[in-house]
């Protein structure tokens, strides 16, 4: 089958450690030159190269599917890899390849199950290949279908709805409280690593009003530069609580720095407007009793982890449903491709037989000398009927075998029986 | 016949709304909205025919008022549905509409002794404003209930997005809008009958009976909720509970109509 000429070689976070992945990773600007080079060296018709933090995968449309190992050689030769990581590479073909790609695009193969970013990354790789002229018709069809399946999985299973990381859990809680986060102000108490991770998540989602208060003023300034944040002196943070909507606290203070009495005053000054307090410090920065004040929603690191764990359990449940959906789509796609290939094969056979028939009739007419137009016409029709009758049975049997038996074998035998000239190559690829 | 057809369509719409709450498929929402719109068209036709035949706006006894309330709820959704953005509101709205319709079907529709006031335009204005006001209060009630549910989930560290409820801020905003609008419309409705009496010299147009006492009680509770809102003396959760209580007090109006 033509699908056997499409091969995937690659490695991912499940197969290879990070030190291998980082060596094999491709910067965007090197992808297309690399793929173009493979046309010469490995018989590549076209390819899509997906390179993210967690995977490097080459989806290659080859003239000869058996040349897949050469792709790994070429991949390794183009990178500075300190040791031979060949053992980490996997190869996929046929249904396994389709299932893999559909799963990758839907986030089912991601480190964070169901995460949506991978969909955009697969799309980016596809568009890069298309614009670089390395996308063949077959790859185009395959990727278009993968996008369709990924969307279907997201919509029908809702796999990405629940948060699975602490920072995403905090972000989701904020969205449950506030309508438009871009108009809200975040106050960061402490400028540590966890604060940075959470702040990055909010910042990337469009939150621009950020205030930082840190005991070491210099650290606060460095943090502020990264996020365009406003810095307030540590002693003034209670005043900043009045004007903030979300507070992320992660100081290294040995005791509580935010108390119930303080927050009762703050809430009066805020005219009881809702306030989300995220305390990710250990020991905790915020007294637990603060959570009992109306209008305050207090979450500590364990609460957030619990939300994330519940989300992960939910996603795992949904992933099983998603996998069933993907399997169904793989089967449908396989049938569609078989149908496409079968139609092309039959069409090719009829054209090939027609060409032989026309050539032979012309030769016979030339040898037979003068015939009336009517006689010529009758001869042509007779030969056409013979050709048609001879081809009818093999075509019917081929259609039956493809449905009832092994399609690949049936098509291969058919190709051996009727050695037609090679089909026209794919229309994509480098001009 | 028309009432049964309307009820059937509203029940179908409710079924789709409940399924939509569970499965979140767009198709289910469209089916819900389609059945709702069809039910609304049928109900409007039925109410219009009845109005023309009797020459009195069909809202003179409890079953008729309940029908009119269901009509107002659906009309408001068809008007504001797009602006509300969050479609999950149908999950809460349609059971309320069906409850109103079913209760109306169960209570005998006994014709009332027509008073001269029933034939005046004042009565139409009075009924239209009160029905619309109650409809708006019920929306405020729905959004306040959603606020309380969301607040409860957040306080108890449950997954607040499980049902895809609007954010607390959004719920509070819509609850307030409907409350303020409803309060104005409802107040105008209450005063319209008194105004009729004053202008027409009919001193008995506004006699303090059970209905009037109930109507004023609901007005006072909802007024307190607005006061709490404006002065920010109450936190959003308490305000939401007050709106729920105020909207629940519209039940008093229904009882008042029954005993009127």
């Amino acid at each position: 089958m033509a699908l056997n000429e499409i091969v995937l070689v690659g490695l991912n976070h499940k197969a290879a450690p990070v030190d291998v992945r980082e060596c094999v990773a491709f910067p965007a600007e090197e992808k297309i030159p690399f793929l173009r080079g493979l046309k010469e060296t490995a018989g590549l018709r076209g390819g899509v190269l997906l390179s993210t933090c967690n995977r490097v995968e080459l989806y290659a449309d080859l003239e000869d599917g058996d040349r897949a190992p050469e792709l790994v050689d070429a991949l390794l030769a183009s990178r500075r890899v300190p040791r031979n990581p060949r053992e980490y590479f996997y190869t996929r073909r046929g249904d396994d390849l389709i299932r893999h790609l559909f799963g990758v695009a839907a986030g089912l193969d991601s480190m964070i199950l169901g995460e949506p970013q991978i969909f955009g990354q697969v799309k980016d790789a596809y568009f890069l290949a298309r614009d670089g002229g390395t996308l063949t018709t077959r790859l185009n069809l395959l990727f278009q279908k993968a996008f369709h399946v990924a969307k279907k999985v997201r919509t029908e299973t809702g796999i990405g709805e629940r948060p699975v990381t602490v920072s995403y859990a905090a972000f989701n809680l904020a969205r449950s409280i506030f309508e438009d986060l871009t108009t809200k102000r975040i106050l960061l108490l402490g400028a540590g690593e966890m604060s940075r991770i959470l702040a990055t998540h909010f910042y990337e989602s469009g939150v621009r009003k950020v205030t930082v208060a840190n005991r070491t003023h210099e650290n606060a300034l460095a943090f502020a530069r990264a996020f365009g944040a406003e810095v307030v002196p540590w002693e003034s943070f209670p005043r900043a609580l009045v004007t903030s909507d979300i507070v992320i606290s992660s100081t290294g203070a040995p005791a509580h720095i935010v108390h119930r009495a303080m927050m009762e005053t703050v809430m009066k000054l805020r005219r009881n407007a809702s306030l989300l307090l995220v305390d990710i410090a250990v020991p905790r920065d915020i007294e637990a009793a603060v959570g009992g004040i109306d209008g305050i929603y207090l979450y500590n690191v364990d609460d957030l982890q619990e939300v994330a764990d519940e989300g992960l359990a939910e996603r795992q449940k949904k992933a099983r449903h998603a996998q069933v959906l993907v399997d169904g789509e793989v089967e449908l796609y396989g049938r569609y491709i078989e149908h496409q290939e079968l139609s092309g094969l039959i069409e090719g056979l009829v054209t090939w037989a027609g060409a032989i028939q026309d050539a032979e009739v012309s030769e016979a007419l030339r040898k037979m000398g003068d015939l009336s137009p009517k006689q010529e016409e009758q001869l042509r029709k007779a030969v056409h009927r013979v050709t048609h009758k001879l081809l009818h049975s093999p075509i019917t049997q081929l259609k039956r075998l493809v449905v009832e038996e092994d399609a690949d074998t049936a098509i291969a035998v058919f190709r051996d029986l009727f050695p037609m000239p090679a089909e026209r190559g794919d229309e994509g690829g480098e001009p | 016949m028309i009432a049964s057809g309307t009820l059937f369509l509203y029940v179908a719409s409710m079924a789709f709304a409940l399924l939509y709450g569970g499965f979140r498929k767009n198709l289910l929402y469209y089916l819900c909205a389609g059945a709702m719109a069809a039910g609304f068209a049928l109900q409007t036709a039925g109410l219009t025919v009845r109005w023309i035949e009797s020459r009195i706006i069909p809202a003179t006894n409890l079953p008729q008022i309940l029908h009119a309330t269901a009509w107002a709820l659906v009309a408001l959704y068809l008007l504001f549905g797009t602006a509300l953005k969050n479609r999950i509101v149908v999950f809460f709205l349609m059971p309320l509409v069906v409850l109103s319709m079913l209760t109306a079907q169960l209570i005998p529709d006994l014709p009332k002794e027509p008073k001269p006031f029933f034939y005046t335009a004042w009565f139409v204005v009075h009924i239209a404003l009160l029905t619309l006001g109650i409809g708006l209060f019920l929306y405020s009630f729905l959004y306040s209930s959603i606020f309380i549910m969301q607040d409860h989930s957040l306080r108890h560290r449950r997954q607040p997005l499980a049902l895809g409820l609007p954010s607390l801020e959004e719920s509070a905003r819509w609850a307030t809008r409907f409350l303020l609008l409803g309060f104005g419309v409802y107040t105008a409705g209450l005063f319209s009958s008194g105004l009729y009496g004053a202008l027409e010299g009919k001193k008995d147009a506004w006699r303090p009976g059970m209905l009037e006492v109930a109507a004023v009680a609901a007005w006072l509770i909802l007024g307190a909720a607005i006061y709490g809102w404006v002065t920010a003396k109450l936190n959003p959760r308490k305000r939401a509970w007050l709106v729920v209580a105020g909207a629940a007090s519209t039940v008093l109006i229904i009882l008042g109509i029954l005993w009127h």
Side-chain angles (χ1 to χ4, degrees), chain A residues 283-336:
Chain A
R284 285 175 292 173
D285 285 339
I286 303 172
E287 195 183 356
V290 169
I293 301 173
D294 277 332
I296 289 184
Y297 303 93
L298 170 63
Y299 281 72
N300 63 38
V301 73
D302 282 358
D303 298 328
L304 294 176
Q305 192 56 56
E306 202 178 313
V307 172
D309 290 346
E310 280 174 23
L312 184 61
E314 182 72 15
R315 281 196 188 189
Q316 281 163 343
K317 208 164 78 183
K318 288 178 172 176
R320 287 192 283 277
H321 174 205
Q323 198 54 58
V324 173
L325 209 149
V326 164
D327 288 345
E329 291 290 336
V330 169
E331 200 183 326
L332 281 176
Y333 185 71
R335 267 191 237 153
Y336 169 75

Coordinates of all heavy atoms in Angstrom, one line a residue, chain A residues 283-336:
Chain A
P283 N 6.7 26.8 55.2 CA 5.5 26.9 55.9 C 4.6 27.9 55.3 O 5.0 28.9 54.7 CB 5.9 27.2 57.3 CG 7.3 27.7 57.2 CD 7.9 27.2 56.0
R284 N 3.3 27.8 55.6 CA 2.3 28.7 54.9 C 2.4 30.1 55.4 O 2.8 30.4 56.5 CB 0.9 28.2 55.2 CG 0.5 26.9 54.4 CD -0.8 26.4 54.8 NE -0.8 25.9 56.2 CZ -1.9 25.4 56.8 NH1 -3.1 25.5 56.2 NH2 -1.8 25.0 58.0
D285 N 2.2 31.0 54.4 CA 2.3 32.5 54.7 C 0.9 33.0 55.3 O 0.9 34.0 55.9 CB 2.6 33.2 53.4 CG 4.0 33.0 53.0 OD1 4.8 32.7 53.8 OD2 4.3 33.2 51.8
I286 N -0.2 32.3 54.9 CA -1.5 32.9 55.2 C -2.2 32.0 56.3 O -2.3 30.8 56.1 CB -2.3 33.0 53.9 CG1 -1.6 33.9 52.9 CG2 -3.7 33.6 54.3 CD1 -2.2 33.9 51.5
E287 N -2.6 32.7 57.3 CA -3.3 32.0 58.4 C -4.6 31.3 57.8 O -5.3 31.9 57.0 CB -3.7 33.0 59.4 CG -4.2 32.4 60.7 CD -4.6 33.6 61.7 OE1 -4.5 34.8 61.3 OE2 -5.1 33.2 62.8
A288 N -4.8 30.0 58.2 CA -5.9 29.3 57.6 C -7.3 29.9 57.9 O -8.2 29.9 57.0 CB -5.9 27.9 58.2
A289 N -7.4 30.6 59.0 CA -8.7 31.3 59.4 C -9.1 32.4 58.4 O -10.3 32.7 58.3 CB -8.6 31.9 60.8
V290 N -8.1 32.8 57.6 CA -8.4 33.9 56.6 C -9.4 33.3 55.6 O -10.3 34.0 55.1 CB -7.1 34.3 55.9 CG1 -7.4 35.2 54.7 CG2 -6.3 35.1 56.9
G291 N -9.3 32.0 55.3 CA -10.3 31.4 54.4 C -11.7 31.4 54.8 O -12.6 31.2 54.0
G292 N -11.9 31.7 56.1 CA -13.3 31.7 56.6 C -14.0 33.1 56.3 O -15.2 33.2 56.6
I293 N -13.3 34.1 55.9 CA -13.9 35.4 55.6 C -14.6 35.3 54.3 O -14.1 34.8 53.3 CB -12.8 36.5 55.6 CG1 -12.0 36.5 56.9 CG2 -13.3 37.8 55.3 CD1 -10.8 37.4 56.9
D294 N -15.9 35.9 54.3 CA -16.7 35.9 53.1 C -16.0 36.7 52.0 O -15.4 37.8 52.3 CB -18.0 36.5 53.4 CG -19.0 35.4 53.9 OD1 -18.8 34.3 53.6 OD2 -19.9 35.8 54.7
G295 N -16.0 36.2 50.8 CA -15.4 36.9 49.7 C -13.9 36.6 49.5 O -13.4 37.0 48.4
I296 N -13.3 35.8 50.4 CA -11.9 35.4 50.2 C -11.9 33.9 49.9 O -12.6 33.1 50.5 CB -11.1 35.7 51.5 CG1 -10.9 37.2 51.7 CG2 -9.8 34.9 51.4 CD1 -10.0 37.5 52.8
Y297 N -11.1 33.6 48.9 CA -11.0 32.2 48.5 C -9.5 31.8 48.6 O -8.7 32.3 47.9 CB -11.5 32.0 47.0 CG -12.9 32.4 46.9 CD1 -13.2 33.7 46.5 CD2 -13.9 31.6 47.2 CE1 -14.5 34.2 46.4 CE2 -15.3 32.0 47.1 CZ -15.5 33.3 46.7 OH -16.8 33.8 46.7
L298 N -9.3 31.0 49.7 CA -7.9 30.7 50.0 C -7.5 29.3 49.6 O -8.2 28.4 50.0 CB -7.7 30.9 51.5 CG -6.4 30.4 52.1 CD1 -5.2 31.2 51.6 CD2 -6.4 30.5 53.7
Y299 N -6.5 29.2 48.9 CA -6.0 27.8 48.5 C -4.5 27.7 48.8 O -3.7 28.6 48.5 CB -6.2 27.7 46.9 CG -7.6 27.3 46.6 CD1 -8.6 28.3 46.6 CD2 -7.9 26.0 46.1 CE1 -9.9 27.9 46.3 CE2 -9.2 25.7 45.8 CZ -10.2 26.6 45.9 OH -11.5 26.3 45.5
N300 N -4.1 26.6 49.5 CA -2.7 26.4 49.7 C -2.2 25.4 48.7 O -3.0 24.9 47.9 CB -2.4 26.0 51.2 CG -3.1 24.6 51.5 OD1 -3.1 23.7 50.7 ND2 -3.6 24.5 52.7
V301 N -0.9 25.0 48.8 CA -0.3 24.2 47.8 C -0.9 22.8 47.7 O -1.1 22.2 46.7 CB 1.2 24.1 48.0 CG1 1.6 23.3 49.2 CG2 1.9 23.6 46.7
D302 N -1.3 22.3 48.9 CA -2.0 21.0 48.9 C -3.4 21.0 48.2 O -3.8 20.1 47.5 CB -2.2 20.5 50.4 CG -0.9 19.9 50.9 OD1 0.1 19.9 50.2 OD2 -0.9 19.5 52.1
D303 N -4.1 22.1 48.5 CA -5.4 22.3 47.8 C -5.2 22.2 46.3 O -6.0 21.6 45.6 CB -6.1 23.6 48.2 CG -6.4 23.6 49.7 OD1 -6.6 22.6 50.3 OD2 -6.3 24.8 50.2
L304 N -4.2 23.0 45.8 CA -4.0 23.1 44.4 C -3.6 21.8 43.8 O -4.0 21.3 42.8 CB -2.9 24.2 44.1 CG -3.3 25.6 44.4 CD1 -2.2 26.5 44.1 CD2 -4.5 26.0 43.6
Q305 N -2.7 21.1 44.6 CA -2.3 19.7 44.1 C -3.4 18.8 44.0 O -3.5 18.0 43.1 CB -1.2 19.2 45.1 CG -0.5 18.0 44.6 CD 0.2 18.2 43.2 OE1 1.0 19.2 43.1 NE2 -0.1 17.4 42.2
E306 N -4.4 18.9 45.0 CA -5.5 18.0 45.0 C -6.4 18.3 43.8 O -6.9 17.4 43.1 CB -6.4 18.3 46.3 CG -7.3 17.2 46.6 CD -8.0 17.5 47.9 OE1 -7.4 17.9 48.9 OE2 -9.3 17.4 47.9
V307 N -6.6 19.6 43.4 CA -7.3 20.0 42.2 C -6.6 19.4 41.0 O -7.3 18.8 40.1 CB -7.4 21.5 42.1 CG1 -8.0 21.9 40.8 CG2 -8.3 22.1 43.3
A308 N -5.3 19.5 41.0 CA -4.5 19.0 39.8 C -4.6 17.5 39.7 O -4.8 16.9 38.6 CB -3.1 19.4 40.0
D309 N -4.6 16.8 40.9 CA -4.7 15.3 40.9 C -6.0 14.9 40.4 O -6.1 13.9 39.6 CB -4.4 14.8 42.3 CG -2.9 14.9 42.7 OD1 -2.1 15.2 41.8 OD2 -2.6 14.8 43.9
E310 N -7.1 15.6 40.9 CA -8.4 15.2 40.4 C -8.5 15.4 38.9 O -9.1 14.6 38.2 CB -9.5 16.1 41.1 CG -9.8 15.7 42.5 CD -10.7 16.7 43.1 OE1 -11.4 17.5 42.4 OE2 -10.7 16.8 44.4
G311 N -7.9 16.5 38.4 CA -7.9 16.8 37.0 C -7.2 15.7 36.2 O -7.7 15.3 35.2
L312 N -6.1 15.2 36.7 CA -5.3 14.2 36.0 C -6.1 12.9 36.0 O -6.2 12.3 34.9 CB -4.0 14.0 36.7 CG -3.1 13.0 36.1 CD1 -2.7 13.5 34.7 CD2 -1.8 12.8 36.9
A313 N -6.8 12.6 37.1 CA -7.6 11.3 37.1 C -8.7 11.4 36.1 O -9.0 10.5 35.4 CB -8.1 11.1 38.5
E314 N -9.3 12.6 36.0 CA -10.4 12.8 35.1 C -9.9 12.7 33.7 O -10.5 12.1 32.8 CB -11.0 14.2 35.4 CG -12.2 14.6 34.5 CD -13.4 13.9 34.9 OE1 -13.5 13.3 35.9 OE2 -14.3 13.9 34.0
R315 N -8.7 13.3 33.4 CA -8.1 13.2 32.1 C -7.8 11.8 31.7 O -8.0 11.4 30.5 CB -6.9 14.1 32.0 CG -7.2 15.6 31.8 CD -6.0 16.3 31.4 NE -6.3 17.7 31.4 CZ -5.5 18.7 30.9 NH1 -4.4 18.3 30.3 NH2 -5.8 19.9 31.0
Q316 N -7.3 11.0 32.6 CA -7.0 9.6 32.3 C -8.2 8.9 31.9 O -8.2 8.0 31.0 CB -6.3 9.0 33.5 CG -4.8 9.4 33.6 CD -4.1 9.1 34.9 OE1 -4.8 8.9 35.9 NE2 -2.8 9.1 34.9
K317 N -9.3 9.2 32.6 CA -10.6 8.5 32.3 C -11.0 8.9 30.9 O -11.4 8.1 30.1 CB -11.6 9.0 33.3 CG -12.7 8.0 33.5 CD -13.5 8.3 34.8 CE -14.5 9.4 34.6 NZ -15.2 9.8 35.8
K318 N -10.9 10.2 30.6 CA -11.3 10.7 29.3 C -10.4 10.2 28.2 O -10.8 10.1 27.0 CB -11.4 12.2 29.3 CG -12.6 12.7 30.1 CD -12.6 14.2 30.2 CE -14.0 14.6 30.8 NZ -14.1 16.1 31.0
A319 N -9.1 10.0 28.6 CA -8.1 9.6 27.6 C -8.5 8.2 27.0 O -8.3 7.9 25.9 CB -6.7 9.5 28.2
R320 N -9.1 7.4 27.9 CA -9.5 6.0 27.4 C -10.6 6.2 26.4 O -10.6 5.5 25.4 CB -10.0 5.2 28.6 CG -8.8 4.7 29.5 CD -9.3 3.7 30.5 NE -10.0 4.2 31.6 CZ -9.5 4.7 32.7 NH1 -8.2 4.8 32.8 NH2 -10.2 5.2 33.7
H321 N -11.5 7.1 26.6 CA -12.6 7.3 25.7 C -12.0 7.9 24.4 O -12.4 7.5 23.3 CB -13.6 8.3 26.3 CG -14.7 8.8 25.4 ND1 -15.3 10.0 25.6 CD2 -15.2 8.3 24.3 CE1 -16.2 10.1 24.6 NE2 -16.1 9.1 23.8
A322 N -11.0 8.8 24.6 CA -10.4 9.4 23.4 C -9.7 8.4 22.5 O -9.7 8.4 21.3 CB -9.4 10.5 23.9
Q323 N -9.0 7.4 23.2 CA -8.3 6.4 22.5 C -9.3 5.5 21.6 O -8.9 5.2 20.5 CB -7.5 5.5 23.4 CG -6.4 4.7 22.8 CD -5.4 5.6 22.0 OE1 -4.8 6.5 22.6 NE2 -5.3 5.3 20.7
V324 N -10.4 5.3 22.2 CA -11.4 4.5 21.4 C -11.9 5.3 20.2 O -12.0 4.8 19.0 CB -12.7 4.2 22.3 CG1 -13.8 3.6 21.5 CG2 -12.3 3.3 23.4
L325 N -12.0 6.6 20.4 CA -12.4 7.5 19.3 C -11.3 7.5 18.2 O -11.6 7.5 17.0 CB -12.6 8.9 19.9 CG -13.6 9.8 19.3 CD1 -14.2 10.7 20.3 CD2 -12.9 10.7 18.2
V326 N -10.1 7.6 18.7 CA -8.9 7.6 17.7 C -8.9 6.3 16.9 O -8.7 6.4 15.7 CB -7.6 7.9 18.5 CG1 -6.4 7.5 17.6 CG2 -7.5 9.3 19.0
D327 N -9.1 5.2 17.6 CA -9.0 3.9 16.9 C -10.1 3.8 15.8 O -9.8 3.3 14.7 CB -9.2 2.8 17.9 CG -8.0 2.6 18.9 OD1 -7.0 3.1 18.5 OD2 -8.2 1.9 19.9
G328 N -11.2 4.3 16.1 CA -12.3 4.4 15.1 C -11.9 5.2 13.9 O -12.1 4.8 12.8
E329 N -11.3 6.3 14.2 CA -10.9 7.3 13.1 C -9.8 6.6 12.3 O -9.7 6.9 11.1 CB -10.4 8.6 13.7 CG -11.6 9.4 14.3 CD -12.5 10.0 13.3 OE1 -12.1 10.1 12.1 OE2 -13.7 10.2 13.6
V330 N -8.9 5.9 13.0 CA -7.8 5.2 12.2 C -8.4 4.2 11.2 O -7.9 4.2 10.1 CB -6.8 4.5 13.2 CG1 -5.8 3.6 12.5 CG2 -6.1 5.6 14.1
E331 N -9.3 3.5 11.7 CA -9.9 2.5 10.8 C -10.6 3.2 9.6 O -10.4 2.8 8.5 CB -11.0 1.7 11.6 CG -11.3 0.4 10.9 CD -12.3 -0.4 11.7 OE1 -12.4 -0.3 13.0 OE2 -13.2 -1.1 11.0
L332 N -11.4 4.2 9.9 CA -12.0 5.0 8.8 C -11.1 5.5 7.8 O -11.3 5.5 6.6 CB -12.8 6.1 9.4 CG -14.2 5.8 10.1 CD1 -14.8 7.0 10.7 CD2 -15.1 5.2 9.0
Y333 N -10.0 6.1 8.4 CA -9.0 6.7 7.5 C -8.3 5.6 6.6 O -8.1 5.8 5.5 CB -7.9 7.4 8.3 CG -6.9 8.2 7.5 CD1 -7.3 9.3 6.8 CD2 -5.6 7.8 7.4 CE1 -6.4 10.0 6.0 CE2 -4.7 8.5 6.6 CZ -5.1 9.6 5.9 OH -4.2 10.3 5.2
G334 N -8.0 4.5 7.3 CA -7.4 3.4 6.5 C -8.3 3.0 5.4 O -7.8 2.8 4.2
R335 N -9.6 2.9 5.6 CA -10.5 2.4 4.6 C -10.5 3.5 3.4 O -10.6 3.2 2.3 CB -11.9 2.3 5.2 CG -12.2 0.8 5.6 CD -13.6 0.7 5.9 NE -13.8 0.2 7.2 CZ -14.8 0.4 8.0 NH1 -15.8 1.1 7.5 NH2 -14.9 -0.2 9.2
Y336 N -10.5 4.7 3.9 CA -10.6 5.8 2.9 C -9.3 5.8 2.0 O -9.4 5.9 0.8 CB -10.6 7.2 3.7 CG -10.4 8.4 2.8 CD1 -11.4 8.8 1.9 CD2 -9.2 9.1 2.8 CE1 -11.2 10.0 1.1 CE2 -9.0 10.2 2.0 CZ -10.0 10.6 1.2 OH -9.8 11.7 0.4

